[in-house]
Amino acid sequence: MKSSLFGVLPDGSTVEEYTLQSGKIACKIITYGGILRSLTVPNECGDPVDVVLGFDSLEDYQKQDKYIGALIGRYANRIGRSEFTLGEQTYSLCSNDGQNHLHGGLCGFDKQVWSVKAAADDMLELTLHSPDGQEGYPGNLQVNVTYRLVDQSLVISYSAVSDRDTLCNLTNHAYFNLSGHDSGIVDDHTINICADYYTPTDKQSIPVGLIQAVDDTPMDMRAPIRIGDNVNSAYEQIHWAGGYDHNWVISGEIGDLRLAAVAHSSDTGITMKTHTTQPSIQFYTGNYLDGCPIGKNGAKYGKRSGFCLETQCYPDAPHHTNFPPAMIKASEVYHHVTVYSFG
Ligand code: BGC
């Protein structure tokens, strides 16, 4: 395992980068935001392709506001009206997305420096202490995230424990482009999502509370679709979001490691399967990417230059009793696993 200094934050704290390798798969992770900065997998000829968007400097990571490659917490995705109630108490969060709360707030886990608990050639275990009240959330939360390369897969395991009842919904916000991070838009990729239902939203991307069948809509991706064929659809949900930016309910049992999505690039022949134990997955087609700042090796990441497959609890779960709960009790261990595998 190699590690090196990646940069120094204005407060003097240092950020390290770790390079992991296992056979023909390799990745780079920085301790700032636990960010997955590169992920290199072989194409159909065996040549390495970096399939995630990223930046060359710590300054660029601080400038960008698209959560590129980062670990997200305490609550991935949105909480409507930036407040929630647990037990008798209502908690206020910051509004960093209109009147709503997105991806853990202004200084979420994506902007904190994680500590390294263990490192080896093919794994990195990161840990973060989030104090009681941080970004408005109750409870001291101790978080562990392990990145591990196994065969042709990146396995991300998340666990957390709090000393008070709290919300917890962690994910990774990698933007994938299986044709290469610098290859432009992802319209030619195909994707399928193993879900009979999704959670429609209002214009602010807040779920309206329905768990709706995908049948006869462009949200039906049980068979592969070409992203470019659907992403400009006039279908209201897609039109409002400027592309796909929705939560699908993964078929099967929550807690079982099951197939959630399969994406493929015919340019490189790379197929990526996403398996997870999580309830659902956000498929987001980089609708708000705007090319700033410039990415790795001068790449320009404009709208739709990457897509995210964020495994998660349902967005805005605290406001919908028909959604699986996204809270953990004091001392209860939160745990889930997501595997991105390449072939
Ligand atoms: C959300 C998008 C949001 C993006 C931020 C995604 O997880 O679903 O709506 O704009 O993160 O980069």
Side-chain angles (χ1 to χ4, degrees):
M1 171 264 317
K2 276 194 334 213
S3 73
S4 56
L5 180 69
F6 185 66
V8 181
L9 289 167
D11 70 359
S13 38
T14 54
V15 172
E16 303 292 325
E17 175 167 85
Y18 286 76
T19 303
L20 312 185
Q21 174 108 33
S22 171
K24 288 198 147 195
I25 183 166
C27 68
K28 289 182 191 295
I29 295 151
I30 59 172
T31 51
Y32 178 76
I35 287 170
L36 178 67
R37 199 173 81 79
S38 75
L39 177 61
T40 307
V41 301
N43 66 10
E44 57 197 350
C45 305
D47 299 327
V49 180
D50 183 356
V51 294
V52 295
L53 277 50
F55 299 99
D56 285 329
S57 73
L58 185 57
E59 291 70 30
D60 287 342
Y61 274 106
Q62 288 180 278
K63 269 185 232 157
Q64 62 92 32
D65 58 358
K66 308 293 188 287
Y67 304 89
I68 292 185
L71 295 175
I72 307 292
R74 293 191 190 189
Y75 200 95
N77 215 302
R78 293 176 172 82
I79 298 178
R81 304 185 307 279
S82 306
E83 52 79 28
F84 65 95
T85 303
L86 269 187
E88 303 288 284
Q89 204 168 330
T90 296
Y91 298 91
S92 290
L93 306 168
C94 76
S95 301
N96 58 338
D97 188 58
Q99 58 172 355
N100 305 312
H101 180 82
L102 175 68
H103 291 330
L106 290 176
C107 191
F109 295 176
D110 58 297
K111 295 184 187 65
Q112 297 183 39
V113 180
W114 293 61
S115 302
V116 173
K117 198 166 169 197
D121 288 349
D122 57 355
M123 70 82 84
L124 181 69
E125 183 178 0
L126 298 172
T127 180
L128 184 74
H129 174 76
S130 174
D132 184 30
Q134 188 174 47
E135 289 289 327
Y137 292 95
N140 287 294
L141 188 75
Q142 191 62 41
V143 187
N144 267 49
V145 175
T146 303
Y147 286 100
R148 189 184 297 272
L149 299 176
V150 184
D151 299 325
Q152 288 288 79
S153 304
L154 172 67
V155 181
I156 314 180
S157 312
Y158 304 78
S159 59
V161 67
S162 168
D163 57 1
R164 289 174 63 191
D165 295 359
T166 192
L167 294 184
C168 190
N169 180 21
L170 310 177
T171 196
N172 176 280
H173 207 292
Y175 287 71
F176 296 98
N177 187 326
L178 304 180
S179 302
H181 76 97
D182 52 356
S183 66
I185 59 174
V186 292
D187 283 23
D188 280 335
H189 285 60
T190 57
I191 183 152
N192 66 287
I193 298 181
C194 309
D196 299 330
Y197 298 92
Y198 79 107
T199 51
T201 69
D202 65 14
K203 285 185 178 165
Q204 275 78 48
S205 294
I206 300 295
V208 293
L210 298 174
I211 299 174
Q212 197 155 292
V214 296
D215 304 58
D216 306 318
T217 74
M219 313 313 265
D220 186 350
M221 293 197 252
R222 291 171 291 191
I225 58 115
R226 181 182 164 271
I227 292 179
D229 289 345
N230 283 13
V231 85
N232 297 314
S233 163
Y235 187 69
E236 196 171 67
Q237 287 288 314
I238 296 181
H239 179 66
W240 282 351
Y244 284 114
D245 190 5
H246 298 84
N247 175 63
W248 276 261
V249 177
I250 304 162
S251 300
E253 292 295 315
I254 297 172
D256 286 354
L257 188 64
R258 62 214 189 282
L259 185 64
V262 182
H264 175 76
S265 158
S266 53
D267 285 347
T268 54
I270 295 171
T271 299
M272 180 177 82
K273 291 184 179 164
T274 305
H275 287 80
T276 189
T277 57
Q278 283 279 57
S280 60
I281 191 163
Q282 186 86 5
F283 173 50
Y284 168 55
T285 45
N287 313 329
Y288 306 116
L289 287 172
D290 57 10
C292 297
I294 290 295
K296 288 180 286 193
N297 300 321
K300 188 160 184 205
Y301 303 137
K303 181 172 172 170
R304 275 201 250 299
S305 297
F307 61 88
C308 303
L309 286 166
E310 303 151 61
T311 58
Q312 58 185 3
C313 296
Y314 296 18
D316 199 32
H319 293 131
H320 305 282
T321 49
N322 57 333
F323 288 3
M327 57 96 65
I328 48 168
K329 293 264 183 213
S331 305
E332 185 190 330
V333 178
Y334 165 97
H335 180 67
H336 75 89
V337 179
T338 294
V339 183
Y340 298 103
S341 38
F342 297 87

